[in-house]
Amino acid sequence: MDPYYLLLTAVSLASIYGLLAIGISIIWSSLGMINLAQGFIFTVSGYGAWLVAQNVSTNGFVVVAAGVITGALAGGLTGVLAFIPLYDKPNFALRSLIATLAISLMGGQCLLWLFTTRVKALPKIFGIGSVHIGPATVSYDKIGAIVCSAVLLLLTLAWMKSSRRGLEIRAMMQNPEGAALVGVGLRSTAMVVMMVTGAMAGLAAVLLSQTYFISPFAGTTPLVKGMVVALAGGLGSVAGAVIAAVLIGFVEAFTAVQIGGQWVLITQFLLIIAILLVRPRGIAGMIEHTRE
């Protein structure tokens, strides 16, 4: 086992799953909603990137932009269908959970009807080849995944820290009721949250599709792993999601290399169970109680 290969594989996986987990955490902490449609957003973003690659251009920047834009639009649509009509209704958390699950299931069936079961492959947007970093050999797709994920995450965090809309999102993450009292528009801010997190899922779809194929239900496993990372890190904590993503990525890489890919989900769930037994709110959980 090459420890450098293991480390780089773990970091590349962590960067992709971290995008999904951070999106799930931001939605929960700001809107009080568990978004089970994130897997569908992931899948439809992959198809959006594939359609652009087939009909417009195979340029890497164009393909990535197509996936990100498709994810943002799908996230906005999810907000229109699952948040806007329900956020002021009783039992919003449960209602939105069911609504996003319905979007995911119906969306998957629509994609199955449109594209059939035949899998699709995206072009190698980072090229084919590898570079040597010390004693390790790293493929272009792993380097691209790490760099693109880090850039988008840093830009998102900088935007949330410096912009007025970002300040409103952070206010909703800390105290939704107080944010509403001081004039933060819940509907408009929620749509921005859904579109930003949808764009993150879109980028994750393009990056992961450099290794795996696109299919109508390709987002199911990434959704599960994103939820695992978000829960292990602590719902609402971006820092916790990053730490948990690194741990989950390392466990997946180590398990796949040493034991076999069929054991990956088992070891990941054993890890999250162990974390939650020690820290029930996750590694850096911010939410002290479930929203009423």
Side-chain angles (χ1 to χ4, degrees):
M1 181 182 62
D2 184 351
Y4 296 98
Y5 172 80
L6 183 65
L7 177 62
L8 292 168
T9 301
V11 172
S12 65
L13 290 171
S15 63
I16 296 172
Y17 296 146
L19 289 174
L20 288 169
I22 290 169
I24 291 171
S25 290
I26 291 175
I27 292 173
W28 166 252
S29 58
S30 60
L31 308 183
M33 180 173 77
I34 297 293
N35 184 16
L36 294 184
Q38 199 79 342
F40 166 70
I41 295 171
F42 178 97
T43 306
V44 78
S45 300
Y47 277 111
W50 177 80
L51 287 173
V52 169
Q54 293 294 310
N55 300 290
V56 180
S57 173
T58 57
N59 179 271
F61 178 81
V62 175
V63 174
V64 170
V68 170
I69 292 171
T70 304
L73 294 176
L77 178 62
T78 302
V80 169
L81 296 177
F83 180 81
I84 300 298
L86 301 176
Y87 85 97
D88 56 350
K89 301 293 191 298
N91 299 317
F92 164 70
L94 179 60
R95 288 171 184 256
S96 61
L97 184 74
I98 296 172
T100 54
L101 177 61
I103 292 171
S104 181
L105 295 175
M106 290 188 295
Q109 290 297 324
C110 290
L111 292 175
L112 181 64
W113 175 68
L114 287 171
F115 297 101
T116 72
T117 57
R118 181 174 297 179
V119 297
K120 314 294 184 184
L122 287 182
K124 294 294 183 181
I125 58 178
F126 302 113
I128 300 174
S130 59
V131 296
H132 296 281
I133 301 178
T137 300
V138 190
S139 60
Y140 290 157
D141 60 332
K142 285 186 173 62
I143 296 175
I146 295 170
V147 172
C148 289
S149 300
V151 168
L152 180 61
L153 178 59
L154 290 174
L155 288 175
T156 302
L157 294 177
W159 171 76
M160 289 182 64
K161 184 177 181 179
S162 60
S163 69
R164 177 178 176 83
R165 184 65 74 179
L167 177 63
E168 293 175 348
I169 293 173
R170 288 189 289 125
M172 289 181 63
M173 292 173 68
Q174 294 177 6
N175 190 330
E177 294 80 7
L181 289 174
V182 297
V184 175
L186 294 182
R187 290 184 178 87
S188 59
T189 305
M191 291 302 298
V192 173
V193 170
M194 295 300 295
M195 294 185 73
V196 169
T197 55
M200 290 181 175
L203 178 60
V206 175
L207 297 179
L208 198 60
S209 297
Q210 296 299 295
T211 305
Y212 301 99
F213 293 108
I214 302 167
S215 65
F217 296 99
T220 302
T221 300
L223 171 65
V224 172
K225 293 183 179 181
M227 289 294 299
V228 165
V229 172
L231 289 171
L235 282 173
S237 172
V238 174
V242 172
I243 297 171
V246 173
L247 292 175
I248 296 297
F250 179 81
V251 168
E252 177 168 340
F254 182 83
T255 303
V257 171
Q258 292 293 96
I259 306 176
Q262 69 271 24
W263 297 97
V264 167
L265 283 177
I266 295 175
T267 55
Q268 287 177 337
F269 276 105
L270 288 176
L271 175 63
I272 187 177
I273 290 170
I275 291 174
L276 294 179
L277 285 175
V278 177
R279 294 185 63 86
R281 296 190 182 97
I283 294 172
M286 292 170 56
I287 304 301
E288 296 297 328
H289 61 274
T290 304
R291 288 180 172 83
E292 299 179 352

